[in-house]
Amino acid sequence: LEITDRRNHNYTTSYVKAGRDATVVYGAIDFKFKNNREYPIKISSSVSGGVVTFTIYGIEQENEYDVKIIPIVTETIPKTTKYEDDPSLVEGSEVVKQVGTSGCKVTTYKEVYLNGSLVSKEVISNDIYKAMARIVKRGTMKASVPVVSTPVVEQPPVAEQPTIEQQPDQTPVEDTQTLPEIQESDTEVSDTTI
């Protein structure tokens, strides 16, 4: 059948390869084709599980052609990452809101075969699919600082060293006095919170 009007989606789809899709928006965009065969055709449709299926029936002609639709990706359009500040998330945390997808440019060929031999090959479309940005939510909420209790260890008092007073005309006298050693306490100090 001959396609007379087709537009690709803005983004690649999950259910068919890029270059083989068609956009339909009621009252605005349509997928149109015409019967270029010798006999009438019948179009049947059904809906199941949210999927619409169309089946086309026709009468076999004397020369039946095999048609292959071959999409070739000619360029990849990388996705970008967009950040959104989110005050409900703790600062430093990130949550992926949208994974995103790369876009591409596609040239689609139609190959027609008769009895296994290639009869014709033509470009039927050149499509561009936009990249869908990856969106990451970034936390801006300040984290509350937990109060950590630090144990207070009391130190035994340090004995003061005796000083020698000097008169201006006197030379210092060497101090030979021995001070008692300070003993460390063996008693356990209890934890105290300030």
Side-chain angles (χ1 to χ4, degrees):
L1 302 177
E2 181 185 344
I3 296 170
T4 59
D5 193 9
R6 170 199 168 266
R7 286 168 64 179
N8 63 289
H9 289 84
N10 283 330
Y11 303 99
T12 56
T13 63
S14 60
Y15 56 85
V16 69
K17 286 185 177 180
R20 298 205 61 177
D21 61 312
T23 304
V24 176
V25 178
Y26 184 75
I29 301 171
D30 211 347
F31 173 56
K32 298 178 183 178
F33 55 91
K34 71 178 183 178
N35 180 11
N36 56 353
R37 296 174 62 85
E38 294 177 18
Y39 304 105
I41 59 171
K42 175 185 176 182
I43 301 173
S44 173
S45 64
S46 62
V47 178
S48 177
V51 177
V52 179
T53 303
F54 289 92
T55 308
I56 301 173
Y57 299 94
I59 297 172
E60 191 172 320
Q61 296 181 170
E62 184 180 338
N63 291 324
E64 283 297 337
Y65 295 92
D66 290 319
V67 178
K68 294 183 180 179
I69 305 298
I70 304 169
I72 305 292
V73 175
T74 58
E75 185 180 333
T76 300
I77 303 167
K79 66 182 174 184
T80 57
T81 300
K82 179 183 171 187
Y83 292 94
E84 294 179 351
D85 289 341
D86 188 331
S88 69
L89 295 174
V90 175
E91 190 174 38
S93 63
E94 292 184 345
V95 174
V96 177
K97 178 180 176 182
Q98 177 176 285
V99 176
T101 57
S102 296
C104 59
K105 292 183 180 180
V106 180
T107 298
T108 303
Y109 296 89
K110 176 183 175 183
E111 293 182 349
V112 179
Y113 293 83
L114 180 61
N115 300 321
S117 297
L118 181 64
V119 175
S120 67
K121 180 177 180 176
E122 64 176 315
V123 173
I124 57 171
S125 69
N126 287 296
D127 302 319
I128 299 174
Y129 297 86
K130 297 176 185 177
M132 184 180 291
R134 179 176 183 258
I135 301 174
V136 178
K137 295 195 299 183
R138 210 167 27 190
T140 59
M141 179 175 56
K142 299 287 183 195
S144 57
V145 180
V147 177
V148 179
S149 61
T150 307
V152 176
V153 178
E154 292 189 22
Q155 298 291 331
V158 178
E160 291 186 19
Q161 298 266 344
T163 59
I164 301 171
E165 291 187 21
Q166 297 180 4
Q167 296 295 330
D169 294 349
Q170 295 178 342
T171 57
V173 177
E174 188 174 306
D175 184 12
T176 57
Q177 180 182 359
T178 305
L179 298 176
E181 286 187 19
I182 300 172
Q183 298 292 323
E184 288 191 24
S185 173
D186 291 331
T187 57
E188 194 175 286
V189 179
S190 63
D191 289 348
T192 307
T193 304
I194 296 177

